[in-house]
Amino acid sequence: MPLWTGRFQKELDQKTNDFNSSISFDCKMARQDIEGSIAHATMLGQCGVIDKSEADAICQGLEGILKDLQSGTLEIDMTQEDIHTFMEGELTRRLGDTGKRLHTARSRNDQVALDIRLYLREEAQGLLEQIKELTETICVQAEAFAGTVMPGYTHLQRAQPITFGHHLMAYAEMFLRDLGRLQDAVKRMNVNPLGSGALASTTYPIDRTVTTRLLGFSDTMRNSLDGVSDRDFCMELAAALSIVMVHLSRFSEEIILWCSWEFKFVELDDAFSTGSSIMPQKKNPDIAELVRGKSGRVFGDLTALLTVMKGLPLAYNKDMQEDKEAIFDSVETVKICLTAFTPMLATMKVLPENMRKAAAGGFINATDCADYLVKKGLPFRDAYKATGTLVARCIELGETLETLPMEEYQTVCEAFDEGVYEAISLENCVNGRSVLGGPARESVLAQVKRVRGLLREDAASES
Ligand code: ARG
């Protein structure tokens, strides 16, 4: 039975009932719905809105429902309109009239606003843990390859030498910011809307701070219209998750490139690769490709949320029922992507020799060669031009800057001497960049140490 009988003479058309119903997805919030109702009933009892004994009976009844759902002795009736309707019906079936008192001073509008907050607050904790685990995995790989020289790219053209550890730690920094964004979203989400009623609160003498405390919220929402209309906590979470997916997608794209024969900088473990049904030689980075692909879903979810909300007058409108599938999907998608991505990264085999070979071609030490002349007193622009001429000469002779004979150097610029070979050795080029945030081995190790410290601090502040 729907909750809105009385005014109606007919039941909702059967097919339309399916269209109107949200139970197929809001059943995910069954436990949170019960927890919210227990807090609400407790508060009603404490404030004398209902008898204490009835409040106790309601709480016990709800606990019984939760137990039976968890043990499988009770199944959610999927023909009901939503999870709230199902719970109230089941409680009333068990308690009779007492069950009917639960919805005093409450509406499904503030109930659903509450349930989503409770649900997402928990899910966000799991996501934070997963991102921390990924960041730690990046640190492990970065530490192991802190001094491994590879070409750094701009425009996907070899640019300057860096280390693989440095490249990886760039992602650690991105995921650290993602953690911050998620924590921020949780802060604003963690405010209690219960007591907003349908839109205009209630005339019952309730104490909203009681449910705020019982449910572990940091504050109580201060405007009842906002309490039932606001879904910016969903949008904010979806936005933060979209950025996580941008980072995962870029990382995936690089892994896909690095696995190709053109690069061969890394090899994925067999457990995280797939084959082809026709080409026996193939080993495909499907997991990374899927993560890259699934970013589209999460951006779509964010777009859906923004679009659903943008034209709605205050307060609740049924359009808002569309919030759940979108935000649940983005949470589930990020969760499953991280579940596959982190162990793929942890088991990824790094091939330093191939990175070194790639770094040796492409004249990525040309900037250092120019800098060498600058240190000898030449203006940078002249040093740049002289080095450009040398690169052209190398290409003509099939040489590299390391192998080009000194006579060639001196023909272009007399300031060159034997010291240039040391200045342009890839190791020296990389290790010379030891400023804060640079790619030198010691700088990478310092980055790893700092990130680990922050992860630890974060874990400590949460426990
Ligand atoms: N299933 C609804 C939702 O998800 C619950 C709130 C319904 N309220 C109402 N007045 N129809 O948004």
Side-chain angles (χ1 to χ4, degrees), residues 22 26 82 84 108-109 112 316 318 320-321 324:
S22 55
D26 64 21
D82 54 28
H84 326 297
R108 276 185 298 162
N109 296 351
V112 73
Y316 178 82
K318 187 77 168 202
M320 289 157 72
Q321 181 164 288
K324 281 170 282 302

Side-chain angles (χ1 to χ4, degrees), residues 103-145:
H103 212 53
T104 315
R106 188 176 71 169
S107 155
R108 276 185 298 162
N109 296 351
D110 56 348
Q111 190 177 354
V112 73
L114 171 75
D115 290 3
I116 316 173
R117 282 182 153 82
L118 292 175
Y119 183 83
L120 293 179
R121 188 175 75 176
E122 277 179 40
E123 290 294 310
Q125 289 314 316
L127 288 165
L128 285 170
E129 282 317 308
Q130 282 191 288
I131 296 174
K132 282 184 200 164
E133 197 191 331
L134 169 61
T135 312
E136 171 54 26
T137 303
I138 294 173
C139 286
V140 172
Q141 290 277 30
E143 192 173 37
F145 300 97

Side-chain angles (χ1 to χ4, degrees), residues 176 188 223 239 348 352 371 376 386 388 442 462:
L176 273 187
R188 275 181 287 276
N223 181 300
M348 183 177 83
D371 287 344
K376 293 261 175 203
E442 59 185 282
E462 265 162 34

